[in-house]
Amino acid sequence: MKVLQRLLPRRLDRQVMLFVSLLLSLVMPFFALYEADESAERVVNSTMLQALALAENISVTSVEHIVTQDFASTEQLLLRSARFPGVQQVQVSDIDGRVIGDVFVGQAGEPVLRYQAQMIDVPSEAYPDLKQSAGLLTVWQPIVGANAVGWVRLDYSLAEAESIASQYLYDYMVDGLIMTVMLVALILLVMRRPLRVLRDAATFAGQLKNKHGEKIPIDKRSVEIEQLGMALNETSENLFEQDAVIKQALKALNTQKSAMDEHSIISITDVDGYITYANQKFVDATGFSRDELLGKKHDIVKSGFHSREFFAGMWATISMGNVWHGEILNRSKHGDEVWVNTTIVPFMDESGVPYEYVAIRTDVTNQKWVEQELAEKARSLVQMTDHLEDLVRLRTSELEQANIQLQHLNKVKSEFVSVVSHELRTPLTSIKSFSEILHDDLEELDINSQKHFLSIINDESERLGRLINDLLDLQKMDSGKMDWNDERVDMVVLLSASAELFSKAYADKGLELKLGLVDAESWVMVDVDRIKQLITNLLSNALKFTESGSATVAIVNSACEVEVSVTDTGLGIPEQEIANVFENFHQVNSSETREIGGSGLGLAICKDIVEHYSGRIWVESELARGSRFVFTLPLLENNVERSGGGCDRSSK
Amino acid sequence: MTGAQNKIVLICEDEANIRESIRYVVNKAGFESVMAVDGIEAYDKARTVHPDLILLDVGMPGMTGFDVCDRLRADADFKAVKIVVLTAYGQIADQERAAEVGADRFMVKPFSPRDLKQLLCEMLV
């Protein structure tokens, strides 16, 4: 079959030509043959008829001859008959087959008598018979008069008939051929145009891919061709339009791709993960060349940061045909670590199976770094905020404390003012009362009463005066407005002098005043008046609060300070009040002390003076046993204050 | 001096000199005087002596004058007794406190003996 196909021409018109030619070539000969055959047969038939007719003629004519035995006439007859075209030989015989006359036609065509007496085989039945063999027709015609008397045998040549037949055949063949050719030509002629249109359409269709938008002329001769033309033209138009669309789309796609290539790192892998495409950014980002990347897996940029489960999850997602988003840490060829925000899109065929994966990435190393920094900062901010909150809380409570203290101080201050005014008014009350009494009742009062009242006025005035002085001193010291005239002075000398002043008062009360001076000299830089005030207060207290026994003054030098103590054997101070004795107006209240009085400011003043020089003052006391008041002052050496060396000044 | 006319004044004051000046005025005005030197003694003597008038200094040891007044007034027997509060503290708050605890009068130190005498005569007549 294939051999046949290869032999056939491809062009339709040639196919048609071939087909028609073949068809007609096959048909025509048969037709010609058939016709020729028919004609030949007719010719033969007519020849036969002629032969029969001639034979019959001879037979009829011969009857008489035979009967009359006129053999010469028979011969003449035969001679005449033999001149008939086609006759080859003619014989007349009697009923038994004895030849009466025999003529054959020689090569020149002349009939010639033959005198061969012979017997011929005659048919058995007296009917005409026809035999045909090898181009010779043999007619047996009985000669019948009253009855069968003889035979005529006519050998008629069919050569003529046959030649006519073959002539016919030849003619018919030629005619057939001519007809075939004419038919083919006619068919081709008729089909030429449609075939050409078809061929044009086929050519056009073949060239369509290059000739979008062109049209072929529409041939309306046949519906099919018209449809074909219109379809082709429409297709051409569509293709043309599609071209434009595709161009646009391609352009847009290209723009997108360029844009993406500008922005993103892009790589494409096959289903197994081997890289089939890497854009420039990918090359740049990884540090590998394109050749180094293609055909490899993304392992090439693995950083080792992510777990196997991470990548397994990713492959699971994309191999199912889903888009995967994530951030990956990669390592470049040179070892740089790069964070990329990655989207992997599987591209799938019609059956939904992925055939390649497109990965689009952006370098977010900076952002990651910033993120981490931000997270750090946020953490430390939170810490700071917490810390801040703590601090705020702390500060708030501190402020509350301070506020409470302030309020307390305010309260203390207003109490102080209240107390001060009370303390000032008290002596004033006596002064005012007795002044008025003396004034109104002077004449009524006896001299003792007068003196007594005046003495009260005097005492209370002095009391008031002392109080005012103490208050002013305290106020000046507290507000820093006190003039401190510091000078180098030996405490030993100072103490001795002050003690001397009190010796009489002590003696009058029956008390001993002792000086226990351990060190010979204690040089300090102080205001003499203030130190005198300090010592006086202490000695005065000791005197006031001691009924019997003694008061001892002692000086001890240490590394950087001098320690002075006044010890009495007096009433002592209750334990709970020891802390408060140095407060303003504090007066120990008991039955014994109530009458002793005092401004209550003496120790407060002592404290201020001592603390002005960064010294310390304190008391050790036991009720009914006595009290020991101690203060320290910085020691001088060679006009320079000693510093350091075993002297703790921080207790203040 | 005793007699139906003699009213008793209880003087509660811890300062000796002031106490003396008040006693002088009270006696000069013709009343009898009883002394107390602290709040506790003041309260006790008030209940035992049943004075007609009590002069209460506020700033006394033991119990303040306000407390003494307050406690006395709580007692039905002492609802009627005249009480004068005496103080060197002169704030409005002190005056209000005096009124709260039921004192009849409020006097500020230093005071004028003339004024005191007039007040005593006024309240004890």
Side-chain angles (χ1 to χ4, degrees):
Chain A
M1 211 51 214
K2 283 210 176 140
V3 174
L4 203 68
Q5 276 182 338
R6 262 197 283 158
L7 287 177
L8 283 176
R10 297 300 308 282
R11 278 173 57 164
L12 198 61
D13 53 355
R14 285 177 195 172
Q15 282 180 355
V16 166
M17 204 164 74
L18 183 67
F19 177 69
V20 171
S21 305
L22 271 178
L23 191 68
L24 289 174
S25 307
L26 285 174
V27 166
M28 275 302 158
F30 279 113
F31 179 67
L33 267 172
Y34 176 75
E35 286 300 306
D37 215 44
E38 288 284 296
S39 300
E41 221 180 278
R42 263 202 303 278
V43 166
V44 166
N45 279 351
S46 112
T47 308
M48 274 191 212
L49 283 174
Q50 271 186 353
L52 268 173
L54 188 60
E56 207 180 310
N57 203 3
I58 296 173
S59 160
V60 163
T61 313
S62 296
V63 166
E64 202 184 310
H65 294 171
I66 289 178
V67 162
T68 62
Q69 305 245 327
D70 186 3
F71 300 133
S73 297
T74 306
E75 284 176 355
Q76 290 303 312
L77 179 66
L78 289 181
L79 281 170
R80 272 207 308 279
S81 303
R83 288 191 198 280
F84 211 80
V87 174
Q88 282 203 325
Q89 82 176 12
V90 55
Q91 292 172 328
V92 168
S93 79
D94 66 10
I95 195 72
D96 300 314
R98 219 170 281 118
V99 174
I100 300 173
D102 184 7
V103 170
F104 77 91
V105 175
Q107 286 175 330
E110 280 291 313
V112 176
L113 282 167
R114 253 195 324 219
Y115 293 101
Q116 296 168 335
Q118 57 185 353
M119 294 285 287
I120 52 175
D121 285 320
V122 294
S124 47
E125 307 267 316
Y127 289 110
D129 189 29
L130 213 67
K131 285 200 183 73
Q132 189 177 342
S133 72
L136 204 70
L137 191 71
T138 308
V139 179
W140 292 96
Q141 178 76 28
I143 301 169
V144 178
N147 52 347
V149 301
W151 287 95
V152 175
R153 175 185 166 158
L154 179 64
D155 285 341
Y156 207 88
S157 164
L158 290 175
E160 180 101 12
E162 284 174 354
S163 86
I164 289 174
S166 62
Q167 183 68 34
Y168 266 131
L169 186 65
Y170 177 78
D171 283 347
Y172 272 123
M173 293 291 271
V174 170
D175 281 347
L177 198 66
I178 291 174
M179 261 186 67
T180 302
V181 169
M182 279 178 63
L183 261 176
V184 168
L186 188 67
I187 288 174
L188 281 182
L189 201 69
V190 165
M191 291 201 67
R192 194 165 74 125
R193 176 125 184 162
L195 279 181
R196 194 184 60 207
V197 172
L198 215 59
R199 190 165 62 248
D200 285 345
T203 312
F204 181 69
Q207 291 173 338
L208 198 58
K209 66 177 177 208
N210 297 326
K211 295 199 175 188
H212 294 177
E214 288 186 17
K215 298 196 192 186
I216 52 168
I218 302 294
D219 191 297
K220 297 206 181 184
R221 266 176 223 233
S222 78
V223 171
E224 292 87 351
I225 290 185
E226 187 185 352
Q227 280 181 346
L228 185 63
M230 284 174 68
L232 279 175
N233 284 346
E234 217 175 285
T235 305
S236 175
E237 223 172 284
N238 285 347
L239 283 173
F240 187 68
E241 282 170 5
Q242 275 182 21
D243 273 353
V245 168
I246 289 175
K247 230 189 208 156
Q248 283 268 45
L250 276 176
K251 190 161 159 207
L253 215 64
N254 247 351
T255 312
Q256 264 186 29
K257 182 174 187 293
S258 306
M260 276 184 69
D261 274 338
E262 284 298 308
H263 172 83
S264 305
I265 297 167
I266 302 178
S267 66
I268 303 180
T269 66
D270 60 17
V271 261
D272 298 313
Y274 292 100
I275 298 172
T276 57
Y277 169 78
N279 77 342
Q280 190 57 41
K281 269 201 166 314
F282 189 44
V283 167
D284 294 341
T286 57
F288 291 103
S289 73
R290 196 168 269 114
D291 293 327
E292 287 174 300
L293 287 171
L294 293 176
K296 304 277 194 315
K297 291 195 173 184
H298 278 98
D299 281 358
I300 199 176
V301 292
K302 196 156 77 163
S303 69
F305 177 81
H306 300 282
S307 64
R308 265 222 292 250
E309 288 77 32
F310 179 80
F311 286 112
M314 180 183 88
W315 276 104
T317 306
I318 59 178
S319 54
M320 295 288 288
N322 297 318
V323 174
W324 183 87
H325 297 282
E327 287 182 344
I328 305 180
L329 180 66
N330 288 330
R331 178 175 284 129
S332 78
K333 186 177 186 183
H334 313 292
D336 302 319
E337 291 197 333
V338 177
W339 275 100
V340 283
N341 189 336
T342 307
T343 303
I344 305 181
V345 180
F347 278 25
M348 295 176 281
D349 60 22
E350 293 86 22
S351 51
V353 174
Y355 64 87
E356 72 182 8
Y357 301 112
V358 177
I360 305 167
R361 305 182 185 84
T362 359
D363 185 338
V364 292
T365 310
N366 282 344
Q367 285 93 303
K368 222 32 193 194
W369 181 80
V370 167
E371 253 174 45
Q372 281 171 353
E373 285 286 310
L374 271 174
E376 274 291 326
K377 291 255 165 14
R379 260 196 300 277
S380 60
L381 203 70
V382 166
Q383 270 183 354
M384 265 170 59
T385 311
D386 285 340
H387 183 55
L388 215 67
E389 280 178 0
D390 288 338
L391 282 177
V392 165
R393 236 176 281 124
L394 199 68
R395 190 49 50 92
T396 309
S397 81
E398 275 178 16
L399 280 173
E400 278 171 357
Q401 289 275 48
N403 200 30
I404 292 170
Q405 275 183 5
L406 215 65
Q407 285 179 349
H408 177 68
L409 274 172
N410 262 346
K411 189 161 154 231
V412 166
K413 208 168 185 183
S414 54
E415 272 180 12
F416 179 72
V417 167
S418 187
V419 169
V420 164
S421 74
H422 177 273
E423 290 303 305
L424 290 174
R425 287 201 174 113
T426 303
L428 266 175
T429 307
S430 301
I431 295 168
K432 162 76 179 164
S433 296
F434 285 114
S435 301
E436 199 176 281
I437 291 169
L438 276 171
H439 175 270
D440 290 350
D441 299 345
L442 192 61
E443 292 86 4
E444 294 161 35
L445 289 165
D446 63 274
I447 194 73
N448 284 337
S449 294
Q450 286 173 6
K451 280 207 161 162
H452 177 60
F453 289 172
L454 281 166
S455 145
I456 289 174
I457 292 172
N458 198 32
D459 287 343
E460 293 291 335
S461 303
E462 277 179 3
R463 179 182 165 191
L464 185 60
R466 276 196 304 277
L467 185 63
I468 289 172
N469 284 338
D470 283 350
L471 268 173
L472 289 174
D473 282 346
L474 207 58
Q475 186 57 30
K476 272 206 270 189
M477 277 190 268
D478 281 351
S479 65
K481 295 224 164 52
M482 174 67 78
D483 287 329
W484 299 85
N485 299 315
D486 293 348
E487 46 187 290
R488 281 188 74 239
V489 65
D490 184 2
M491 278 298 287
V492 176
V493 168
L494 208 57
L495 274 172
S496 309
S498 299
E500 189 59 42
L501 290 174
F502 270 88
S503 59
K504 183 169 189 305
Y506 270 78
D508 284 349
K509 202 170 175 186
L511 300 169
E512 211 183 328
L513 180 58
K514 294 189 268 190
L515 279 177
L517 308 173
V518 175
D519 285 304
E521 287 180 353
S522 302
W523 288 95
V524 293
M525 191 73 167
V526 292
D527 182 310
V528 173
D529 290 332
R530 298 281 81 82
I531 300 302
K532 276 193 187 165
Q533 188 178 15
L534 164 63
I535 300 166
T536 302
N537 280 349
L538 291 177
L539 286 173
S540 164
N541 277 351
L543 176 64
K544 267 197 276 188
F545 290 94
T546 309
E547 287 306 308
S548 66
S550 62
T552 312
V553 181
I555 294 191
V556 177
N557 286 350
S558 71
C560 56
E561 58 188 17
V562 55
E563 190 182 280
V564 177
S565 62
V566 175
T567 315
D568 65 49
T569 57
L571 296 174
I573 302 168
E575 196 182 320
Q576 66 268 28
E577 304 212 29
I578 286 177
N580 304 330
V581 286
F582 294 101
E583 282 176 20
N584 294 338
F585 295 119
H586 183 270
Q587 285 168 310
V588 174
N589 256 318
S590 68
S591 46
E592 291 104 334
T593 63
R594 195 188 312 130
E595 290 300 321
I596 294 170
S599 66
L601 295 173
L603 286 174
I605 290 172
C606 291
K607 182 165 182 266
D608 272 9
I609 294 171
V610 167
E611 285 178 358
H612 174 80
Y613 291 108
S614 308
R616 298 163 321 208
I617 184 164
W618 70 94
V619 62
E620 296 146 16
S621 179
E622 207 182 313
L623 265 178
R625 293 281 295 261
S627 310
R628 178 170 181 263
F629 282 85
V630 192
F631 69 87
T632 64
L633 291 172
L635 206 53
L636 288 181
E637 192 190 11
N638 298 332
N639 277 342
V640 173
E641 262 188 35
R642 285 196 201 200
S643 61
C647 188
D648 179 15
R649 299 236 184 118
S650 64
S651 65
K652 195 180 160 214
Chain B
M1 290 200 228
T2 52
Q5 271 242 329
N6 273 2
K7 306 277 171 110
I8 306 174
V9 175
L10 173 59
I11 303 171
C12 313
E13 170 61 64
D14 58 331
E15 282 275 334
N17 290 336
I18 300 176
R19 199 166 57 238
E20 198 178 327
S21 67
I22 297 174
R23 184 166 70 146
Y24 179 87
V25 171
V26 167
N27 290 344
K28 187 83 193 308
F31 306 111
E32 234 184 273
S33 57
V34 177
M35 309 297 211
V37 302
D38 64 53
I40 305 206
E41 200 187 346
Y43 182 71
D44 289 340
K45 288 233 169 127
R47 295 178 62 159
T48 52
V49 168
H50 291 282
D52 300 287
L53 187 140
I54 311 177
L55 276 167
L56 268 177
D57 175 31
V58 171
M60 286 189 291
M63 242 201 290
T64 70
F66 288 135
D67 293 336
V68 173
C69 181
D70 202 20
R71 282 180 73 176
L72 283 175
R73 285 297 191 217
D75 195 335
D77 292 341
F78 294 93
K79 286 268 195 273
V81 73
K82 306 261 191 306
I83 300 182
V84 177
V85 158
L86 201 63
T87 181
Y89 299 106
Q91 311 286 334
I92 302 285
D94 300 302
Q95 282 196 37
E96 284 172 359
R97 185 91 175 97
E100 266 173 44
V101 297
D104 295 299
R105 284 291 214 277
F106 180 86
M107 260 183 69
V108 183
K109 296 188 226 176
F111 58 88
S112 155
R114 287 178 216 140
D115 292 341
L116 179 61
K117 181 179 173 205
Q118 189 175 348
L119 181 67
L120 289 171
C121 292
E122 212 181 281
M123 292 177 85
L124 287 173
V125 166

